[in-house]
Every structure is written in C-alpha cells, then in structure tokens.
C-alpha cells in the first residue's frame, strides 16, 4: 500500500493522559499536513511541514499540542493532558512539491477522551 | 475571515437521478478549489480547479469553477448507491502554504 498511513486507527484515553499519533506520508511527498475533524464538520487545519520544517500552525493548535517531522519522512502529533474536547478524528495528508498540489489523506486516527 | 459554504447540507435522491452540489467561497488571495468525497474514512480527492469556466470531468462526475461569482458546482449524473458519501469542498489561498479550508460538506444519500 503506497498511500498515507496513520497509526493507531483508534485511541481511547482518559482525560489528562498524553497521546501520540503517527503519520507516514506517500514516500515522494515533501509536504505533510495535520487536520482535525469533528462529527458533521469539514476537516480543520492544524499544522503543516515542508520536509522537516514546521511552516505553519493554526490557532487551534494550543500549547498542549506538538507535532514533529524529524527526518522529513513520518510525523508525530502529540496531545498532552487530553481534554474531552480533543475527541475527534485526526487526519494526516501529504502532497508533492510547492504548488497547490492535491493533498492525499490517510485513514485518520479517531481519538476518544473519556 | 475566510468562509467556504456548501449547499445543500444534505440531499436524498433515488438511483439514476442527477445531482448538483454547490460550494461558494469568500477568501482573499484565492488560488484553487478542491472537491473530495468522504465515506466512513479519509477524504478521497476528486478534482482541483484553478481556472474559471473549464470543466473537469471524471466518469459521471464533473465540476466547474466561477471565479467571478466565487462558486463551484459538482455534478453527478446517473447516481448510484455507491455515490452516497459526504462531498467536501476546500479552498487554497496563495498565501496559505497550501493549507485547505473546508466547508461543512454535503451529505448525499442515494437510495436504490
């Protein structure tokens, strides 16, 4: 499978715990994006990387959220001290080049905070 | 504030019907508009539109952009039950680093 992959697919955690998600983009894609989607809404942008550099972060990304892409390949998104409002689908996407090339999405990680 | 509005929010049709989904936008420095289909999983890419008036077509799906009136439509002809999904519209700005700003989506249900 050469598409975008994400792990885990589902995560249930208790409020206050830390969680980390992983995204593996399509191999030749140098841009990687994180989005969050809640029920009945379109995805909302969180952050993106070009190679290993994090170039933009949304105001939605509070200081409890951190993302890394250490070698310009896979990326991790960590949420510290989770809150019930963090329950959502976390989607990763990747694209090629520096133009407005179409983004290809992974299957997402569904987070439930109890 | 940038805005992407899709209509209708939900639509129920019978197999064989033709549907038109709408997406209007208010963004500064518009670059492109993209359509995605989302079933119970990740959004899958359908079209990217950058120029006004040029129809993009893939099988029974087609889409066109009007940059003067700031909207796009997605047409699906001869609908099938497999077309049931949420259809998402997103825009990219010149200055946004290619981040996508999505609308709420249109939930399409095609009944047999």
């Amino acid at each position: 499978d050469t598409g975008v992959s994400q792990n885990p697919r589902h995560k249930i955690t208790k409020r206050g715990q830390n969680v980390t998600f992983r995204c593996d983009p399509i191999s030749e894609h140098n841009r990687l994006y994180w989005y969050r989607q809640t029920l009945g809404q379109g995805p909302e942008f969180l952050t993106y990387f070009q190679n290993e550099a994090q170039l933009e972060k949304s105001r939605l990304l509070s200081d409890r959220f951190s993302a890394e892409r250490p070698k310009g390949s896979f990326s991790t998104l960590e949420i510290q001290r989770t809150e019930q409002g963090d329950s959502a689908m976390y989607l990763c996407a990747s694209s090629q080049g520096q133009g407005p090339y179409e983004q290809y999405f992974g299957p997402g990680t569904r987070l439930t905070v109890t | 504030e940038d805005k992407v509005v899709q209509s209708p929010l939900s639509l129920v049709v019978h197999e064989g019907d033709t549907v038109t989904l709408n997406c209007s936008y208010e963004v500064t420095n518009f670059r492109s508009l993209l359509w995605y289909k989302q079933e119970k999983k990740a959004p899958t890419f359908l079209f990217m539109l950058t120029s006004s008036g040029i129809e993009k077509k893939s099988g029974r799906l087609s889409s066109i952009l009007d940059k003067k009136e700031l909207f796009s439509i997605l047409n699906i002809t001869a609908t099938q039950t497999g077309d049931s999904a949420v259809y998402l519209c997103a825009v990219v700005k010149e200055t946004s680093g290619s981040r996508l700003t999505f609308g709420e989506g249109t939930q399409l249900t095609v009944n047999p």
Side-chain angles (χ1 to χ4, degrees):
Chain A
D1 186 353
T2 56
V4 179
S5 62
Q6 292 186 246
N7 288 289
R9 296 290 305 276
H10 302 274
K11 178 72 178 178
I12 299 174
T13 191
K14 292 186 176 178
R15 191 172 51 191
Q17 298 294 305
N18 298 345
V19 294
T20 300
F21 310 140
R22 176 175 169 133
C23 171
D24 287 87
I26 294 170
S27 59
E28 62 269 25
H29 286 184
N30 64 348
R31 284 197 166 183
L32 185 149
Y33 305 80
W34 286 99
Y35 293 85
R36 180 172 69 186
Q37 186 175 27
T38 53
L39 200 62
Q41 300 296 316
E44 296 175 293
F45 171 81
L46 293 177
T47 188
Y48 93 94
F49 294 83
Q50 181 162 304
N51 301 312
E52 64 275 9
Q54 187 174 19
L55 296 186
E56 191 175 354
K57 294 198 298 185
S58 163
R59 288 169 297 176
L60 292 175
L61 214 66
S62 76
D63 56 6
R64 296 184 298 106
F65 287 71
S66 63
E68 293 183 340
R69 195 183 182 197
K71 296 181 180 178
S73 56
F74 73 91
S75 174
T76 58
L77 177 69
E78 181 184 17
I79 309 174
Q80 296 182 325
R81 305 181 302 281
T82 51
E83 302 172 356
Q84 286 188 319
D86 297 331
S87 295
M89 175 75 86
Y90 289 83
L91 292 165
C92 175
S94 68
S95 70
Q96 186 175 26
Q98 295 190 23
Y101 299 106
E102 55 267 28
Q103 295 178 22
Y104 293 92
F105 284 81
T109 294
R110 180 165 295 286
L111 173 66
T112 302
V113 181
T114 62
Chain B
E1 185 181 332
D2 298 336
K3 200 185 293 187
V4 179
V5 177
Q6 294 188 241
S7 63
L9 292 182
S10 69
L11 187 57
V12 180
V13 300
H14 291 289
E15 262 190 322
D17 288 351
T18 293
V19 298
T20 298
L21 310 183
N22 302 288
C23 175
S24 64
Y25 60 91
E26 292 178 29
V27 300
T28 52
N29 301 309
F30 172 87
R31 192 176 202 181
S32 301
L33 184 145
L34 293 86
W35 284 97
Y36 285 85
K37 176 183 181 182
Q38 186 173 29
E39 296 167 271
K40 292 188 189 298
K41 49 185 180 179
T44 53
F45 173 77
L46 295 175
F47 299 111
M48 182 168 70
L49 304 153
T50 304
S51 301
S52 234
I54 299 173
E55 185 183 53
K56 294 228 173 168
K57 200 169 168 63
S58 176
R60 297 177 293 102
L61 277 67
S62 63
S63 183
I64 197 161
L65 175 67
D66 185 328
K67 290 168 75 172
K68 183 179 176 186
E69 300 297 330
L70 309 182
F71 77 92
S72 174
I73 59 172
L74 176 68
N75 280 320
I76 308 174
T77 58
T79 51
Q80 302 171 355
T81 55
D83 295 327
S84 296
V86 174
Y87 290 84
L88 294 163
C89 165
V91 297
V92 178
K93 298 169 61 163
E94 288 282 0
T95 52
S96 70
S98 299
R99 66 146 87 175
L100 298 175
T101 300
F102 283 88
E104 285 184 74
T106 294
Q107 171 73 62
L108 173 65
T109 302
V110 181
N111 290 325

